[in-house]
Amino acid sequence: MSNIRIGIVGYGNLGRGVEAAISQNSDMELVAIFTRRDPSTVSIKSANVPVYLVEDAPKYKEQIDVMILCGGSAKDLPEQVPHFAQWFNTIDSYDTHANIPAFFDAVDAVALKNNTVSIISVGWDPGLFSLNRLLGEAVLPVGHTYTFWGDGLSQGHSDAVRRINGVKKAVQYTLPIKDAVNRVRNGENPELTTREKHARECYVVLEDGADANVIETEIKEMPNYFADYDTTVNFITETEFDENHQGMPHGGFVIRSGQSGEGDKQILEFSLNLESNPMFTSSVLVAYARAAYKLHAKGDKGAKTVFDIPFGLLSPKSPADLRKELL
């Protein structure tokens, strides 16, 4: 079987991660990268792989089996995924949970019309965590599901802090409250508020002359980001920031706490501990690109989510090998 030919739209952290993940999969090859920047200014790691303007992508329809879209959820993906589904099987990491149903419908209409497969909202949450929430509810229908995020860097919350006047650099880490996690793991099935589940910790470098007290208050009172959490703000030097806060770690847990038929306490847990959030997310995208390719080869079409994809399609191994080696 020939290699699965992959294209990448966008070459930020996620796009670079997809490029790296493809190199680990012997049944795949990177055909091209598409960017909104001047292609001559984009330096990539893969030898002999061209970089093109994003508007030229439809010209390469016959050369690419799956296009992996690496833009942001706020503005890029809602426009890009329906657009590219006209010509390509697609994978994306759209993660605005509340808008996923409408996003699915928009992509599905285009993919069905053009006989393409688009697997949406792929990653670890939504994605792998979603699968484990489903599994927990299906296996333990009487119980409660808890999702904890962290310890990890939140890119959206970090950006919100950086936009405050007087802030030069900033990162924000989401931290699960250990007492809450332990209560869930003990099977207590607690009702937990937002503040009881997670805390937030900020590391901030100030512009010269900025008022730390004013900025700390603005951070802690920021609605939709920090007001509902216990938030700690640490003001540090730029040297310390550059030495200690350049990584993108993340992770978390999904825990289903329930009872089986005769009232026995049962706990199901899935966890991730990630040194690099975008690099791991990229690896998930690449595995689902394989599934999109296989589905399309069988004549399937339309939008899909991780709930619609059998795990066997993610693997390069044959069904017979999977039964022999992993079952």
Side-chain angles (χ1 to χ4, degrees):
M1 186 177 68
S2 60
N3 282 351
I4 303 169
R5 302 169 299 175
I6 305 293
I8 298 172
V9 174
Y11 197 66
N13 290 325
L14 199 59
R16 288 190 289 271
V18 169
E19 178 188 26
I22 290 170
S23 69
Q24 294 183 311
N25 290 271
S26 60
D27 62 334
M28 296 184 178
E29 62 178 302
L30 178 58
V31 171
I33 293 172
F34 300 90
T35 178
R36 289 177 292 203
R37 292 176 276 170
D38 178 351
S40 66
T41 67
V42 178
S43 177
I44 69 173
K45 294 184 177 180
S46 301
N48 303 317
V49 173
V51 180
Y52 301 119
L53 285 171
V54 69
E55 53 262 37
D56 291 333
K59 300 177 183 178
Y60 301 92
K61 173 184 176 181
E62 301 303 323
Q63 299 177 33
I64 293 172
D65 297 312
V66 184
M67 189 74 86
I68 301 180
L69 305 175
C70 299
S73 294
K75 296 182 179 180
D76 298 330
L77 296 177
E79 295 182 2
Q80 288 181 345
V81 181
H83 176 71
F84 281 96
Q86 297 178 80
W87 305 288
F88 302 98
N89 303 310
T90 68
I91 304 293
D92 67 75
S93 61
Y94 184 76
D95 65 358
T96 307
H97 291 262
N99 297 336
I100 286 176
F103 178 64
F104 178 95
D105 290 342
V107 176
D108 192 45
V110 176
L112 287 173
K113 181 179 179 181
N114 292 279
N115 298 314
T116 57
V117 172
S118 291
I119 308 178
I120 71 158
S121 298
V122 173
W124 60 273
D125 199 359
L128 303 187
F129 274 20
S130 312
L131 290 168
N132 281 276
R133 286 190 284 264
L134 182 153
L135 182 63
E137 290 186 6
V139 174
L140 296 171
V142 176
H144 296 79
T145 298
Y146 302 86
T147 302
F148 293 94
W149 297 277
D151 299 4
L153 185 147
S154 171
Q155 296 184 69
H157 286 71
S158 298
D159 183 65
V161 177
R162 287 192 291 267
R163 292 176 183 271
I164 295 173
N165 288 333
V167 172
K168 185 175 184 179
K169 295 182 179 181
V171 291
Q172 185 267 303
Y173 299 97
T174 299
L175 310 173
I177 303 295
K178 292 182 180 179
D179 180 67
V181 175
N182 290 335
R183 291 178 63 194
V184 170
R185 286 175 171 159
N186 290 336
E188 297 178 25
N189 292 324
E191 296 290 337
L192 298 170
T193 66
T194 296
R195 191 178 300 274
E196 289 173 323
K197 288 191 291 185
H198 295 93
R200 300 197 180 277
E201 187 159 15
C202 304
Y203 291 85
V204 179
V205 179
L206 295 175
E207 298 279 7
D208 290 341
D211 189 320
N213 291 327
V214 171
I215 289 174
E216 181 172 0
T217 298
E218 186 170 350
I219 292 171
K220 290 184 174 181
E221 295 180 354
M222 190 183 299
N224 302 318
Y225 285 90
F226 298 101
D228 295 330
Y229 299 85
D230 289 332
T231 301
T232 302
V233 181
N234 304 283
F235 294 102
I236 61 176
T237 66
E238 188 167 6
T239 299
E240 184 180 352
F241 186 95
D242 292 343
E243 289 178 352
N244 299 326
H245 299 283
Q246 297 304 306
M248 294 186 182
H250 220 313
F253 340 89
V254 175
I255 303 173
R256 180 67 174 178
S257 175
Q259 296 179 349
S260 49
E262 295 186 352
D264 301 295
K265 184 188 299 184
Q266 316 285 12
I267 306 291
L268 185 154
E269 179 173 345
F270 176 80
S271 67
L272 292 173
N273 184 1
L274 310 176
E275 185 172 350
S276 171
N277 179 1
M279 285 293 172
F280 181 81
T281 300
S282 301
S283 296
V284 183
L285 295 177
V286 168
Y288 276 88
R290 181 180 291 111
Y293 173 80
K294 292 179 179 180
L295 287 173
H296 185 257
K298 293 180 179 180
D300 207 339
K301 61 183 178 179
K304 314 288 181 184
T305 73
V306 294
F307 298 138
D308 305 310
I309 310 301
F311 276 16
L313 296 185
L314 305 179
S315 174
K317 297 180 179 180
S318 69
D321 285 341
L322 289 174
R323 289 191 295 270
K324 178 181 179 182
E325 298 174 17
L326 302 181
L327 194 57

